[in-house]
């Protein structure tokens, strides 16, 4: 069997996760890793696979079936995905919800022109959570959607705390409020404010002699990030942070409650949840599955941008239709 | 906008549910209901829609876009779905897991020959549960699957009790064992016996003077149905059964736990669950959504049998790609 030749662009947490995910998929093999750093400084896990300058990616055209883009959504992917879709089938995890339509258009244009397939916004939100919102809405047109995130680490909120004067390190957890989830599951279709849905737990390492009260106040009143939430701040040592808060767990819940019946008298609850030991390793695993779909669509002669909404689930599996119908339906 | 013209074949609990689901979808309209009973004896909810003999379905060719088959899997659908796929695009809820490959083949042959689309085994299990098994397996190739059903009414088990001498009526609930679900969610990947996963609760109306001890013994020792389970039997009056056990609720849980990382050291839990006020009304709502997909595939010129695995999620929605990307991704 010819394996699907995967390339990775960007070797941070996500890139390392994709490397592991590809190794876990018997029908895929890692062909190359591309980085903007000096390749000699990038040590990867897989033996015998080259690390190449991202600027030289074009020379790999024809030797990579799908390139998985592992850069950030703020500045990397808006440029890289359209650019690299001109050379390869690509999959990315672009997650700035408000800019997805523009990103889709840019990737679609580049991919159609090049005859490649580009699957964007793959991961868990956007990604698996989006799919579950869509399925549940199509099944229960009369109903309400709720998404809760956590308990998990928000990198953006942790960074915001670290920028405060006197803070050496920080880790922020987003935590769904149990009472709100219970109210939703009861089918009462409550209207929930930002504060009612999530709390924020901050673990902060302060510099010696720093004004802890001032730091706590600055965190709790920070607009957008914390002011609209019930926030707790706990000062800990760097050792404790390293020991207890090193991981990048995340997860969440997508719940739709809705009704059927002649007078909406029958209630239903659809719930999807994730508890992830590592946010980037799970996202990477989703990316690898959709790389398989990108490869197959491309072999069928399709081109252009796609999202998880456009991909038939069977395309994600290494098994064929006969096997899936016999064993998974 | 031209509405999708839906036909219903079979007007029991499922057919009535489809009628309600079609009414809840603004892009669908009910064209006709077909029944094997005397049409004059079948009263439907929708004003101005004819009830016709199933034997006359052929005369409706060209006036129905998708026929939703609402018969049983034991004897109706194996005959009806291939037969009617020769005339119409069809959707069914065939749920005898072991016979799905044969049923798929029969429908595929008929549909290809007629140039129609037939989507089989649509509902929640098979259906939404199957989809969640597939997605979770593709994302986490290293892991274990668990499906729990309930708390919900099993029609087959209720019928089995009603066939016992001295039993006037009965309702059986399948109940997942909380301790087993907790063990699964903890990620321990336990091996669970039939008895460890589900219990069975039976509510029985006995005839006056019937030997209740004998009935209870016959239930608890019935092979396949009850012998392998911890079963409780509660005798109640017909009035109480009618009052407290009239509904047909169901639901369940699909859980996959798995690992990623260089040494499988990172654990993840993916869970999908349903709490359904009415099993047939929910199944019907899934059928109506997949009727939309059957219509679209047919308009694109596709033909043959499909399952939920083959249907891109966007095809289920009344909204277009631009809307879905902007609002649901």
């Amino acid at each position: 069997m010819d394996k699907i030749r995967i390339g990775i662009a960007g070797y941070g947490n996500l890139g390392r996760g994709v490397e592991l995910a590809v190794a876990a998929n018997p029908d895929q093999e890692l062909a190359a890793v591309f980085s903007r750093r000096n390749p000699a400084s990038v040590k990867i896990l897989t033996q015998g696979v080259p690390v190449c300058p991202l600027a030289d990616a074009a020379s790999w055209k024809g030797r990579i079936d799908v390139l998985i883009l592992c850069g950030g959504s703020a500045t990397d992917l808006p440029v890289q995905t359209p650019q690299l879709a001109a050379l390869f089938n690509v999959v990315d995890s672009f997650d700035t919800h408000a800019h997805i339509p523009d990103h889709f258009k840019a990737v679609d244009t580049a991919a159609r022109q090049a005859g490649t397939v580009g699957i964007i916004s793959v991961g868990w939100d956007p990604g698996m959570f989006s799919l579950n919102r869509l399925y549940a809405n199509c099944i229960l047109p009369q109903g309400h959607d709720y998404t809760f995130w956590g308990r998990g680490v928000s990198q953006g909120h942790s960074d915001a705390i670290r920028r405060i004067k006197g803070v050496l390190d920080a880790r922020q957890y987003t935590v769904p409020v149990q009472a709100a989830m219970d109210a939703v599951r009861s089918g009462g279709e409550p209207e929930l404010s930002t504060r009612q849905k999530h709390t924020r737990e901050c673990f902060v390492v302060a510099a010696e002699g720093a004004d802890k009260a001032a730091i706590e106040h600055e965190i709790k009143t920070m607009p957008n990030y914390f002011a609209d939430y019930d926030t707790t701040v706990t000062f800990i040592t760097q050792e404790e942070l390293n020991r207890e808060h090193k991981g990048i767990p995340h997860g969440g819940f997508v719940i739709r409650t809705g009704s059927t019946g002649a007078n909406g008298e029958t209630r239903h609850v659809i719930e999807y949840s994730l508890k992830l030991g590592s946010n980037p390793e799970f996202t990477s695993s989703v990316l690898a599955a959709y790389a398989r779909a990108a490869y197959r669509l491309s072999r069928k002669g399709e081109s252009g941008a796609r999202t998880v909404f456009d991909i038939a689930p069977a395309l994600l599996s290494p098994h064929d239709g006969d096997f899936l119908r016999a064993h998974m339906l």
Side-chain angles (χ1 to χ4, degrees), chain A residues 7-8 11 17 42-44 65 105 136 148 173 178 200 217 253 267 271 275 285 289 292 318:
Chain A
I8 293 172
Y11 196 70
V42 179
K43 283 266 164 296
I44 69 170
D65 295 312
K105 210 168 291 174
F148 293 93
Y173 295 91
Q178 189 63 45
R200 299 201 174 275
H217 182 261
F253 304 79
R267 307 285 313 166
E271 178 168 340
K275 286 188 189 62
S285 301
R292 187 178 287 122

Side-chain angles (χ1 to χ4, degrees), chain A residues 165-187:
Chain A
K165 192 172 159 257
V167 171
L168 296 181
D169 205 349
R171 190 57 53 108
Q172 194 270 182
Y173 295 91
T174 306
V175 185
V177 174
Q178 189 63 45
M181 294 212 299
D182 291 345
V184 166
R185 287 177 180 142
S186 77

